[in-house]
Amino acid sequence: MSDAQASDARGEIVRDEEAFHIPDDLARALTEFAAVEQLSRGESICLILREYLRVKGYLKGPPPA
């Protein structure tokens, strides 16, 4: 990877972080949830979003097995 590509990649990460900031109280709750459920943070976020969107009617079908 060239220096320019690496710089672009770092810039993309910074933009992503700025676009999605998790407030401290939610981050603590997410960390606790992930630990209790024995999931990664990413898996926890997907599980929570999937269930929320399913309950709200935005995601169709039964929950995954």
Side-chain angles (χ1 to χ4, degrees):
M1 179 181 294
S2 73
D3 287 342
Q5 288 171 321
S7 178
D8 287 346
R10 283 190 299 272
E12 184 68 26
I13 291 167
V14 169
R15 282 191 297 278
D16 284 349
E17 288 176 0
E18 290 173 354
F20 187 73
H21 171 74
I22 299 174
D24 291 343
D25 60 335
L26 292 179
R28 283 189 297 274
L30 179 61
T31 298
E32 183 177 350
F33 177 87
V36 169
E37 299 297 324
Q38 297 181 349
L39 299 169
S40 71
R41 280 181 64 139
E43 291 168 325
S44 296
I45 290 168
C46 288
L47 177 65
I48 292 164
L49 282 174
R50 180 177 291 115
E51 181 61 14
Y52 178 84
L53 294 172
R54 188 185 64 73
V55 167
K56 290 290 190 173
Y58 296 105
L59 187 61
K60 306 299 181 213

